[in-house]
Amino acid sequence: MKRFLLLVVLLLLVGTGAYFVLNRTDPAAGTAPSIVGAPANADPVARGEYLARAADCIACHTVPETGKPFAGGLPFKLPFGTIYSSNITADVETGIGSWSDDDFVRAVREGVRKDGRHLYPAFPYTAYTQLSRADVLAIKAYLFTLPKVSQPERPNDLGFPFNQRWAMGFWNAVFFRSQRFANDPSRTPQWNAGAYLAGPLGHCAECHTPRNLGFGLKHGESLAGAELQGWRAWNITSNDAHGIGKWSDEALTQYLRTGHADGHASAMGPMGEAVAHSLQFLTPEDTAALVAWLRTVPAREGSDPITVDPTPKGVVASSAAAPGADEANADSEGQRLFEGACASCHQWNGAGQQTPYAGLAGTRGVNDPKGANVTQAILHGVTMRIGDTDVYMPAFGHGYSDPEVAALANFVIGHFGGKQGEVTAEDVAKRRQL
């Protein structure tokens, strides 16, 4: 934290001059490639609904289960405090009902609210800056057709100097460039559509790219994986060993549209929300465009690479109904906990019983020795709706102590990933608060 504070001070000093030199605004409206689900000649409201889903606006601006859609209040727990999302319904007093088109475009693409105050980059204007003006206004047209919700903004919980919004001008000078998406003429229309869906709209890099001490994206490690609010967003570069280079097009398509790919992964946490609220609603053509773009992402190993063992000893030796000889984990507390609460759904061979979403064999989560996503799933459970199917795993955090959760997570990692788990009770305690 001391290093982070020092960086902030340096930014304030350097940014005073840099802001006026580097903070450039491109006034061009921008053009978007052809998105099948949002053709340029479609009704603006219908286009806006599709684009808002592609941008996953509802996930960040709605409190799950208890909140009203787009009314804000969702907490984002960051290293320097907690930020709450804004009300983006058309309520005049507490939402954006009084905002003009220019006000809305400026907020989305430049990170500056109607009152002139800077937004924090937890709102991904650093990606949205590339959206065309027409697409931004289509989203606004859709939002203004939704029920107005009177819900005042919840104050952020940030200490000094992070609570000084004016300082974001200096952050922008160093880490933000206002620019619009430009089609690459050397690429196919499908590729350009995929780049627009993944970049300006889907803002995939915001979760899958690690950040520097100033909370800016490490562009040299783009999409190589990162951790956000306790969940790991995996490497989605074309790296064969640590990314998605060996996934088939069918597997990638299945994962994006359903949140599950046999032998690879089941979405959970923020990625589960992205599939449930956004990706499953893309047209097949737009999903194919996204896959085509993903295939060309430069291969990167990442700072904490995960290597999947598809045939660990414990899984190979086990049947669906019984564990095999697993010397490292046999008769451990973790095994006993798994037998009592988990085996009936996940099975000892990791195939999953009631639903393929319960499959564990070959997934990256169980191959991560630090067990970030395994621990989060045990503590908080998994809930998402895909089509007419409810995907559900109960939360066990209320029933198990921190040492018990750590023991269970380490058993899962050892048995299904063939690796030595490193989860501690202290790790679990921290993740309970996220």
Side-chain angles (χ1 to χ4, degrees):
M1 181 57 73
K2 289 182 179 179
R3 294 177 63 193
F4 191 89
L5 288 171
L6 177 61
L7 180 64
V8 171
V9 172
L10 290 174
L11 284 177
L12 290 177
L13 294 173
V14 176
T16 302
Y19 175 74
F20 297 103
V21 176
L22 299 176
N23 190 29
R24 302 175 292 271
T25 298
D26 178 0
T31 57
S34 178
I35 305 297
V36 172
N41 60 353
D43 173 74
V45 173
R47 287 188 68 246
E49 180 178 10
Y50 187 85
L51 294 168
R53 278 181 164 167
D56 203 10
C57 302
I58 194 170
C60 290
H61 290 276
T62 306
V63 176
E65 298 179 6
T66 60
K68 295 183 178 179
F70 301 101
L74 184 72
F76 292 85
K77 296 182 180 180
L78 305 171
F80 40 82
T82 302
I83 294 172
Y84 296 91
S85 62
S86 305
N87 182 343
I88 57 171
T89 72
D91 182 69
V92 173
E93 298 297 326
T94 64
I96 59 172
S98 65
W99 289 30
S100 68
D101 287 354
D102 287 343
D103 292 335
F104 189 75
V105 171
R106 187 185 185 201
V108 171
R109 300 203 303 191
E110 312 298 330
V112 180
R113 308 189 319 182
K114 179 185 177 180
D115 60 9
R117 300 175 71 191
H118 286 280
L119 295 167
Y120 290 101
F123 173 71
Y125 62 87
T126 50
Y128 291 158
T129 185
Q130 295 191 66
L131 291 171
S132 71
R133 180 180 175 89
D135 283 354
V136 175
L137 292 181
I139 292 173
K140 177 176 181 281
Y142 166 66
L143 292 175
F144 272 56
T145 67
L146 302 177
K148 301 174 184 179
V149 180
S150 178
Q151 180 169 298
E153 180 178 296
R154 184 170 180 178
N156 296 324
D157 183 14
L158 301 171
F160 182 85
F162 309 107
N163 59 356
Q164 303 299 305
R165 283 184 182 267
W166 57 267
M168 284 306 306
F170 305 127
W171 187 93
N172 288 337
V174 178
F175 297 117
F176 172 62
R177 173 69 187 273
S178 176
Q179 58 186 335
R180 310 298 164 248
F181 182 88
N183 283 296
D184 184 342
S186 69
R187 298 286 191 174
T188 65
Q190 182 189 51
W191 184 94
N192 279 294
Y196 193 75
L197 286 161
L201 277 171
H203 53 279
C204 302
E206 296 293 320
C207 290
H208 289 274
T209 300
R211 294 180 181 272
N212 55 38
L213 288 175
F215 207 66
L217 295 178
K218 293 182 179 180
H219 295 289
E221 299 179 39
S222 182
L223 303 176
E227 185 170 321
L228 185 68
Q229 299 197 79
W231 293 90
R232 282 199 68 166
W234 303 115
N235 184 331
I236 56 171
T237 73
S238 57
N239 184 285
D240 283 347
H242 311 298
I244 56 173
K246 288 189 175 180
W247 290 37
S248 67
D249 286 358
E250 292 75 18
L252 282 171
T253 298
Q254 181 188 25
Y255 185 74
L256 293 171
R257 296 190 67 81
T258 70
H260 174 78
D262 291 333
H264 290 295
S266 288
M268 59 183 70
M271 189 62 199
E273 293 175 355
V275 175
H277 297 305
S278 176
L279 294 170
Q280 69 166 316
F281 296 105
L282 296 180
T283 64
E285 295 86 354
D286 288 339
T287 302
L290 193 52
V291 170
W293 176 82
L294 281 168
R295 288 298 188 202
T296 67
V297 174
R300 296 183 175 94
E301 182 176 288
S303 59
D304 188 14
I306 300 299
T307 302
V308 174
D309 181 353
T311 56
K313 181 174 63 175
V315 169
V316 172
S318 299
S319 67
D326 190 351
E327 296 179 2
N329 293 284
D331 297 322
S332 66
E333 180 182 25
Q335 185 187 55
R336 290 191 292 273
L337 289 168
F338 184 87
E339 182 176 19
C342 313
S344 60
C345 287
H346 295 290
Q347 301 183 299
W348 292 99
N349 61 4
Q353 185 169 336
Q354 294 91 339
T355 170
Y357 289 89
L360 296 177
T363 64
R364 280 194 276 192
V366 301
N367 280 272
D368 173 16
K370 295 178 180 177
N373 291 5
V374 169
T375 303
Q376 290 282 60
I378 294 170
L379 286 173
H380 306 296
V382 176
T383 302
M384 62 180 180
R385 187 170 181 81
I386 305 298
D388 296 327
T389 302
D390 287 312
V391 179
Y392 175 73
M393 171 182 159
F396 292 93
H398 63 283
Y400 292 158
S401 67
D402 294 343
E404 287 174 328
V405 172
L408 176 56
N410 287 328
F411 169 77
V412 168
I413 294 164
H415 183 79
F416 295 101
K419 298 173 175 63
Q420 180 65 49
E422 301 172 4
V423 182
T424 66
E426 290 74 19
D427 295 333
V428 176
K430 291 177 182 178
R431 290 199 168 96
R432 279 189 191 274
Q433 307 307 315
L434 298 174

